[in-house]
Amino acid sequence: MLSNSLYALRKRLAIPQTSIQLSILGLLGGIAAALLIVVFRLAIEFIQETFSAGGPFDSILDYLLPTLPIFAAILIAIFADITGYKHYRLGIPFVLHRIKAHYGNMPFWNTANQFVGGILALASGFSVGREGPSVHIGASGASYFGRWLRLPHNAVRTLTACGIAAGISASFNTPLAAVIFVMEVVLREYKIHIFIPVMLASSAGSIITQAVFGQHIEFAQLSVFTLPGSHYPWLILLGIILGVSAYIFNTNLMRIIRTFRYVNMFPRLLLAGVLTAIVGYFVPEALGDGTSAINQAMISPTNIELLVILLVSKLFLTLVAIGLGIPGGIIGPVFGLGVLIGLIVANLVMLIDPSIHFMGTYAVLGMSGLMAASLHAPLAALVAVVELTNNPAAITPAIIVIASAYITSSQGLKNRSIFLQQLDFQGLMYQTPPATTVLEKIGVLAEMDTNLKLINYVTEQDVRFHLNDKHESQWLIVAMKHDLGVDYSLAEFDTSYSRNNDKVKYTPLLTMDTRSTLAHVWELIKDQRDGATLITSTSGEKIVGIVTWEQLRTILMNRNALL
């Protein structure tokens, strides 16, 4: 009874349509992802409290704190060595690749490296954000849930998207920005049957993080005021400066990555730890995910010297940490850099126009513009800033800044998303052909023909008897046993050979299980533009259906896809 119910569930999820089943599973996957993020954040807080004033190491704090990045880098390298350096592909770029190329199925040891390494990096003060680990860990939590239920791969992909949304929402308490980020950056498409489960998962992440950490607004200290129309020309100037800054940031980050590509992991991580410890000793406000730099900048928003020192230090530490492979995200530091650039521009403009006194507003706009131009995620940047500041007054000026920053960066300077540049450098696939894009959304359970007959090969005459006896729409599958196993073939009369239909044609058939999508079938038979593929149960013990080339061709033609 249970197996029949699971089969019915998997068959329903193979269809790319909104359903109560997918919505509930998306919610459950989101809860699993959010709980992992809560554990992740609590672990970071525990380590930070341990080394804070009044903690267990208070007596040696002055000597221990400056060396934390070095010790953390060593521990990250040791853990990566134990698990295997081949599992050290982490963060948002890796998740983008797994979503596109592997339906969101996340390797366990990569997730373990991200979880442990992310905790060590964020707790020790590296200039990385927690959104990278949140996306990776959230994706893994929901993905493992889907794989445990042996759901079709297209459904696992949706659950992985739900886990990402829940992970971001649980990390920053930004449920709407999480949904937009998934659609705009991760999936890079807007499909209604994915929207609902992703929204439910994101709301679960927000509720869970509020229950554990309270109703905390990340950047509530940034005061945003409605700007008069006379400020809008300056906003365009700010956007242009942010677009140029995004180009400089992305270009130099990729330059560091390429420069150290042949250096072993351990010396790279150790170098990142040493440089972070040195700069952090002199400018401790530049350490961390960007929050400390933002707080310090807002205390003295008109101190140009302080802002420049923070900007240079923060930029250097971010490039070093991410460029040398520290496991963390890029959005947190980008927010900090954006705030600093926004405040510096506001101070420079104030020399020309003394009426400029909305420092907090310019800081917020700097966050949104730099994120949009660096990540190529304008809508996600807009919504994130509104939710992080809890102030909708930033919407109109943010649109102006984001538009000018994005156009300057992408069209004027040909700057590409930093995530896509990283994927290109690593040689990881993130684009699929149009036909594959259509077919990967449909599970084989939704389209397979179950009207088939399976026989064991005895003699040619026996096969002819079954061919004459079978119904017109029934497929005859012949199992040919040998010492190495069983081969399956599709048996048909070869009308091209004889008008009397006395010649049997055998077409070899490959098999795949019910978790597969039509894209898997396409990859097997696209070259010959003919044939079929057998579908087996998840255990591989039973033949349950067949998918033919004509079925794929019909679907692609109906959806105006190119063959």
Side-chain angles (χ1 to χ4, degrees):
M1 186 68 177
L2 179 60
S3 60
N4 291 336
S5 299
L6 280 175
Y7 181 82
L9 172 64
R10 292 164 185 158
K11 188 171 183 178
R12 182 65 186 82
L13 295 177
I15 305 171
Q17 294 178 355
T18 304
S19 66
I20 183 66
Q21 295 93 333
L22 184 59
S23 299
I24 292 174
L25 287 172
L27 178 61
L28 294 175
I31 292 173
L35 292 176
L36 285 175
I37 298 303
V38 167
V39 174
F40 178 76
R41 291 183 61 181
L42 289 174
I44 294 171
E45 291 188 2
F46 173 77
I47 295 175
Q48 289 176 335
E49 290 174 0
T50 300
F51 289 97
S52 64
F57 301 105
D58 187 32
S59 59
I60 56 173
L61 207 56
D62 292 338
Y63 306 97
L64 194 57
L65 275 180
T67 61
L68 281 183
I70 300 175
F71 285 118
I74 293 173
L75 292 176
I76 292 170
I78 291 174
F79 189 81
D81 181 54
I82 293 173
T83 59
Y85 285 126
K86 66 180 180 179
H87 299 297
Y88 199 77
R89 281 182 168 171
L90 319 168
I92 295 177
F94 181 68
V95 173
L96 293 178
H97 164 68
R98 298 299 298 190
I99 281 278
K100 269 300 182 184
H102 301 279
Y103 296 93
N105 290 286
M106 304 297 294
F108 173 78
W109 287 114
N110 293 72
T111 304
N113 269 298
Q114 181 67 91
F115 189 86
V116 174
I119 290 173
L120 292 170
L122 287 162
S124 60
F126 279 104
S127 184
V128 294
R130 65 172 182 263
E131 81 291 332
S134 297
V135 166
H136 193 143
I137 296 167
S140 299
S143 168
Y144 297 152
F145 177 65
R147 287 157 62 184
W148 176 64
L149 292 175
R150 296 187 177 181
L151 300 181
H153 288 297
N154 61 311
V156 173
R157 182 172 181 261
T158 302
L159 286 188
T160 304
C162 293
I164 294 170
I168 296 174
S169 184
S171 187
F172 296 99
N173 193 20
T174 53
L176 181 55
V179 173
I180 300 300
F181 184 87
V182 167
M183 297 298 175
E184 186 177 38
V185 177
V186 179
L187 297 179
R188 304 176 73 190
E189 61 180 351
Y190 293 86
K191 297 295 182 182
I192 191 64
H193 72 279
I194 300 177
F195 249 127
I196 299 301
V198 168
M199 289 169 62
L200 288 172
S202 183
S203 65
S206 180
I207 292 171
I208 289 173
T209 196
Q210 289 176 21
V212 177
F213 300 102
Q215 297 275 356
H216 174 64
I217 305 299
E218 194 76 18
F219 298 126
Q221 75 273 28
L222 298 178
S223 301
V224 181
F225 300 95
T226 303
L227 296 176
S230 59
H231 281 256
Y232 288 178
W234 300 123
L235 297 185
I236 296 174
L237 174 64
L238 173 61
I240 294 172
I241 293 173
L242 290 168
V244 174
S245 300
Y247 171 77
I248 294 172
F249 177 79
N250 287 7
T251 301
N252 283 282
L253 178 57
M254 292 309 303
R255 182 175 289 118
I256 292 175
I257 292 174
R258 293 189 186 96
T259 300
F260 287 89
R261 66 181 301 179
Y262 298 114
V263 179
N264 291 333
M265 180 68 68
F266 186 85
R268 272 199 287 133
L269 295 177
L270 185 59
L271 177 61
V274 170
L275 293 176
T276 299
I278 293 173
V279 176
Y281 179 80
F282 294 101
V283 191
E285 296 83 1
L287 295 173
D289 62 357
T291 306
S292 58
I294 293 174
N295 292 337
Q296 185 61 42
M298 293 311 300
I299 293 175
S300 306
T302 58
N303 189 337
I304 288 286
E305 183 180 355
L306 172 64
L307 295 177
V308 171
I309 291 174
L310 281 176
L311 177 62
V312 173
S313 302
K314 189 67 182 174
L315 176 61
F316 176 78
L317 291 181
T318 303
L319 293 175
V320 163
I322 298 176
L324 296 180
I326 295 298
I330 197 172
I331 298 179
V334 163
F335 277 160
L337 293 170
V339 166
L340 294 169
I341 294 172
L343 290 175
I344 290 173
V345 171
N347 278 279
L348 295 177
V349 173
M350 192 164 58
L351 298 176
I352 304 172
D353 184 357
S355 66
I356 303 290
H357 57 275
F358 302 102
M359 307 300 288
T361 304
Y362 273 72
V364 168
L365 299 180
M367 290 170 54
S368 62
L370 193 60
M371 175 182 172
S374 298
L375 278 57
H376 282 212
L379 187 55
L382 175 63
V383 177
V385 165
V386 172
E387 286 193 300
L388 288 170
T389 60
N390 196 30
N391 196 326
I395 293 178
T396 300
I399 290 175
I400 295 173
V401 171
I402 288 173
S404 54
Y406 185 81
I407 293 172
T408 299
S409 177
S410 61
Q411 185 172 351
L413 299 172
K414 309 302 180 185
N415 186 33
R416 299 172 62 235
S417 166
I418 186 61
F419 297 145
L420 300 188
Q421 291 188 54
Q422 288 176 290
L423 285 170
D424 284 338
F425 171 77
Q426 296 176 34
L428 298 178
M429 186 268 283
Y430 59 90
Q431 291 179 318
T432 54
T436 303
T437 301
V438 170
L439 296 174
E440 68 183 2
K441 297 178 176 61
I442 309 171
V444 292
L445 279 172
E447 297 291 337
M448 70 181 185
D449 189 346
T450 59
N451 190 14
L452 54 80
K453 186 175 184 180
L454 177 65
I455 65 169
N456 293 319
Y457 182 85
V458 179
T459 65
E460 186 90 355
Q461 186 63 35
D462 188 46
V463 175
R464 288 197 187 95
F465 171 78
H466 284 286
L467 281 173
N468 287 316
D469 185 54
K470 76 183 184 72
H471 299 295
E472 183 178 350
S473 60
Q474 190 179 53
W475 303 97
L476 181 65
I477 310 301
V478 179
M480 300 180 179
K481 297 182 179 179
H482 52 80
D483 293 340
L484 299 178
V486 181
D487 289 333
Y488 297 98
S489 297
L490 175 63
E492 301 172 288
F493 281 124
D494 190 353
T495 55
S496 64
Y497 177 81
S498 172
R499 295 181 180 179
N500 296 326
N501 293 340
D502 59 354
K503 176 71 173 179
V504 179
K505 173 186 175 184
Y506 295 96
T507 304
L509 296 174
L510 296 176
T511 62
M512 58 183 56
D513 65 39
T514 52
R515 297 185 61 200
S516 306
T517 68
L518 296 184
H520 291 108
V521 180
W522 167 265
E523 290 298 323
L524 288 180
I525 62 178
K526 66 178 180 179
D527 292 334
Q528 61 265 33
R529 293 293 200 268
D530 194 13
T533 300
L534 280 183
I535 310 302
T536 71
S537 60
T538 53
S539 64
E541 298 175 353
K542 182 180 179 182
I543 302 297
V544 296
I546 186 172
V547 177
T548 66
W549 166 256
E550 283 303 317
Q551 288 175 282
L552 301 184
R553 184 173 177 274
T554 301
I555 292 171
L556 292 173
M557 290 181 66
N558 289 341
R559 301 196 181 200
N560 296 319
L562 294 175
L563 288 175

Coordinates of all heavy atoms in Angstrom, one line a residue, residues 85-117:
Y85 N 40.3 16.9 -1.4 CA 40.3 18.3 -2.0 C 39.3 18.3 -3.2 O 38.9 19.4 -3.6 CB 41.7 18.8 -2.4 CG 42.5 19.2 -1.3 CD1 43.8 18.6 -1.1 CD2 42.1 20.1 -0.4 CE1 44.6 19.0 0.0 CE2 42.9 20.5 0.7 CZ 44.1 19.9 0.9 OH 44.9 20.3 2.0
K86 N 39.1 17.2 -3.8 CA 38.1 17.2 -5.0 C 36.7 17.6 -4.5 O 35.9 17.9 -5.4 CB 38.1 15.8 -5.6 CG 37.5 14.7 -4.7 CD 37.5 13.4 -5.4 CE 37.0 12.3 -4.6 NZ 36.9 11.0 -5.3
H87 N 36.5 17.5 -3.2 CA 35.2 17.9 -2.7 C 35.2 19.3 -2.2 O 34.3 19.7 -1.4 CB 34.8 17.0 -1.5 CG 34.6 15.5 -1.9 ND1 33.7 15.1 -2.9 CD2 35.3 14.4 -1.6 CE1 33.8 13.8 -3.0 NE2 34.8 13.4 -2.3
Y88 N 36.1 20.1 -2.6 CA 36.2 21.5 -2.1 C 35.7 22.5 -3.2 O 36.2 23.5 -3.4 CB 37.7 21.8 -1.8 CG 37.8 23.0 -0.9 CD1 37.5 22.9 0.5 CD2 38.2 24.3 -1.4 CE1 37.6 24.0 1.3 CE2 38.3 25.4 -0.5 CZ 38.0 25.3 0.8 OH 38.1 26.4 1.6
R89 N 34.6 22.1 -3.9 CA 33.9 23.0 -4.7 C 32.7 23.4 -4.0 O 31.8 22.6 -3.7 CB 33.6 22.4 -6.1 CG 34.8 22.4 -7.0 CD 34.5 21.8 -8.3 NE 35.5 22.1 -9.3 CZ 35.6 21.6 -10.5 NH1 34.7 20.7 -10.9 NH2 36.6 21.9 -11.3
L90 N 32.6 24.7 -3.6 CA 31.6 25.2 -2.7 C 30.9 26.4 -3.2 O 31.2 27.0 -4.2 CB 32.2 25.4 -1.3 CG 33.3 24.5 -0.8 CD1 34.0 25.1 0.3 CD2 32.7 23.1 -0.5
G91 N 29.8 26.8 -2.4 CA 29.2 28.1 -2.6 C 28.2 28.2 -3.7 O 27.8 27.2 -4.3
I92 N 27.8 29.4 -4.0 CA 26.7 29.6 -5.0 C 27.1 29.2 -6.4 O 26.3 28.5 -7.1 CB 26.3 31.1 -5.0 CG1 25.7 31.5 -3.6 CG2 25.3 31.4 -6.1 CD1 25.3 32.9 -3.4
P93 N 28.3 29.4 -6.9 CA 28.6 28.9 -8.3 C 28.5 27.4 -8.4 O 27.9 26.9 -9.4 CB 30.1 29.4 -8.4 CG 30.2 30.6 -7.6 CD 29.4 30.3 -6.4
F94 N 28.9 26.7 -7.4 CA 28.8 25.2 -7.4 C 27.4 24.8 -7.4 O 27.0 23.9 -8.1 CB 29.6 24.6 -6.3 CG 29.6 23.1 -6.2 CD1 30.2 22.4 -7.2 CD2 28.9 22.4 -5.3 CE1 30.2 21.0 -7.2 CE2 28.8 21.0 -5.2 CZ 29.5 20.3 -6.2
V95 N 26.5 25.5 -6.6 CA 25.1 25.1 -6.5 C 24.4 25.4 -7.9 O 23.6 24.7 -8.3 CB 24.4 25.9 -5.4 CG1 22.9 25.7 -5.4 CG2 25.0 25.5 -4.0
L96 N 24.8 26.5 -8.5 CA 24.3 26.8 -9.8 C 24.6 25.7 -10.8 O 23.7 25.3 -11.6 CB 24.8 28.2 -10.4 CG 24.5 29.4 -9.6 CD1 25.2 30.6 -10.3 CD2 23.0 29.7 -9.7
H97 N 25.8 25.2 -10.8 CA 26.2 24.1 -11.6 C 25.4 22.8 -11.3 O 24.9 22.2 -12.3 CB 27.7 23.8 -11.5 CG 28.1 22.5 -12.0 ND1 28.1 22.2 -13.4 CD2 28.5 21.4 -11.4 CE1 28.5 21.0 -13.5 NE2 28.8 20.4 -12.4
R98 N 25.2 22.5 -10.1 CA 24.5 21.3 -9.7 C 23.0 21.4 -10.1 O 22.4 20.4 -10.5 CB 24.7 21.0 -8.2 CG 26.1 20.8 -7.7 CD 26.7 19.6 -8.4 NE 26.1 18.3 -8.1 CZ 26.6 17.1 -8.4 NH1 27.7 17.0 -9.0 NH2 25.9 16.0 -8.1
I99 N 22.5 22.6 -10.0 CA 21.1 22.8 -10.3 C 20.9 22.5 -11.8 O 19.9 21.9 -12.3 CB 20.6 24.2 -10.0 CG1 20.3 24.3 -8.5 CG2 19.4 24.6 -10.8 CD1 18.9 23.9 -8.1
K100 N 21.8 23.1 -12.6 CA 21.6 23.0 -14.1 C 22.1 21.6 -14.6 O 21.4 21.0 -15.5 CB 22.5 24.0 -14.8 CG 21.7 25.3 -15.0 CD 20.5 25.1 -15.9 CE 19.8 26.4 -16.2 NZ 18.6 26.2 -17.0
A101 N 23.2 21.0 -14.1 CA 23.7 19.8 -14.7 C 23.3 18.6 -14.0 O 23.4 17.5 -14.6 CB 25.2 19.9 -14.7
H102 N 22.9 18.7 -12.7 CA 22.6 17.5 -11.9 C 21.3 17.6 -11.2 O 21.1 16.9 -10.1 CB 23.8 17.2 -11.0 CG 25.1 17.0 -11.6 ND1 25.5 15.8 -12.2 CD2 26.1 17.9 -11.9 CE1 26.7 15.9 -12.8 NE2 27.1 17.2 -12.6
Y103 N 20.4 18.4 -11.6 CA 19.0 18.5 -11.0 C 19.1 18.8 -9.5 O 18.2 18.5 -8.8 CB 18.2 17.2 -11.2 CG 18.0 16.9 -12.7 CD1 18.8 16.1 -13.4 CD2 16.9 17.5 -13.3 CE1 18.6 15.9 -14.8 CE2 16.6 17.2 -14.7 CZ 17.5 16.4 -15.4 OH 17.2 16.2 -16.7
G104 N 20.1 19.5 -9.1 CA 20.2 19.9 -7.7 C 20.7 18.9 -6.8 O 20.7 19.1 -5.5
N105 N 21.1 17.7 -7.2 CA 21.7 16.7 -6.4 C 23.0 17.1 -5.8 O 24.0 17.3 -6.6 CB 21.8 15.3 -7.1 CG 20.4 14.7 -7.4 OD1 19.7 14.2 -6.5 ND2 20.0 14.8 -8.6
M106 N 23.2 17.3 -4.5 CA 24.3 17.8 -3.9 C 25.2 16.7 -3.3 O 24.7 15.9 -2.5 CB 24.0 18.9 -2.9 CG 23.1 20.0 -3.4 SD 23.9 21.0 -4.6 CE 25.2 21.7 -3.6
P107 N 26.5 16.7 -3.6 CA 27.4 15.7 -3.0 C 27.5 15.9 -1.5 O 27.7 17.1 -1.1 CB 28.7 15.8 -3.7 CG 28.4 16.6 -5.0 CD 27.2 17.4 -4.6
F108 N 27.6 14.9 -0.7 CA 27.6 15.0 0.8 C 28.9 15.7 1.2 O 28.9 16.6 2.1 CB 27.5 13.7 1.4 CG 27.7 13.7 2.9 CD1 26.7 14.2 3.8 CD2 28.9 13.4 3.5 CE1 26.8 14.3 5.1 CE2 29.1 13.4 4.9 CZ 28.0 13.9 5.7
W109 N 30.1 15.3 0.7 CA 31.3 15.8 1.3 C 31.6 17.2 0.9 O 32.2 18.0 1.6 CB 32.5 14.9 0.9 CG 32.5 13.6 1.6 CD1 32.3 12.4 1.1 CD2 32.6 13.4 3.1 NE1 32.3 11.4 2.1 CE2 32.6 12.1 3.3 CE3 32.8 14.3 4.1 CZ2 32.7 11.5 4.6 CZ3 33.0 13.8 5.4 CH2 32.9 12.4 5.6
N110 N 31.1 17.7 -0.2 CA 31.1 19.1 -0.5 C 30.3 19.9 0.5 O 30.8 21.0 0.9 CB 30.6 19.4 -1.9 CG 31.4 18.8 -3.0 OD1 31.5 17.5 -3.2 ND2 32.1 19.6 -3.8
T111 N 29.2 19.4 0.8 CA 28.4 20.1 1.9 C 29.0 20.1 3.2 O 29.0 21.1 3.9 CB 27.0 19.4 2.0 OG1 26.4 19.3 0.7 CG2 26.1 20.1 2.9
A112 N 29.7 19.0 3.6 CA 30.4 18.9 4.8 C 31.5 19.9 4.9 O 31.7 20.6 5.9 CB 31.0 17.5 5.0
N113 N 32.3 20.1 3.8 CA 33.3 21.1 3.7 C 32.7 22.5 3.8 O 33.3 23.4 4.5 CB 34.1 21.0 2.4 CG 35.3 20.1 2.5 OD1 36.2 20.3 3.2 ND2 35.2 19.0 1.7
Q114 N 31.6 22.7 3.2 CA 30.9 24.0 3.2 C 30.5 24.3 4.6 O 30.6 25.5 5.1 CB 29.8 24.1 2.3 CG 29.0 25.4 2.2 CD 29.9 26.6 1.7 OE1 29.9 26.8 0.5 NE2 30.6 27.2 2.6
F115 N 29.9 23.3 5.3 CA 29.4 23.5 6.7 C 30.5 23.8 7.7 O 30.4 24.9 8.4 CB 28.6 22.3 7.1 CG 27.8 22.4 8.4 CD1 26.5 23.0 8.4 CD2 28.4 22.1 9.6 CE1 25.8 23.1 9.5 CE2 27.7 22.2 10.8 CZ 26.4 22.7 10.7
V116 N 31.5 23.0 7.7 CA 32.6 23.1 8.7 C 33.4 24.4 8.3 O 33.7 25.2 9.1 CB 33.4 21.9 8.7 CG1 34.7 22.1 9.6 CG2 32.6 20.7 9.2
G117 N 33.8 24.5 7.0 CA 34.6 25.6 6.6 C 33.9 26.9 6.7 O 34.5 27.9 7.1

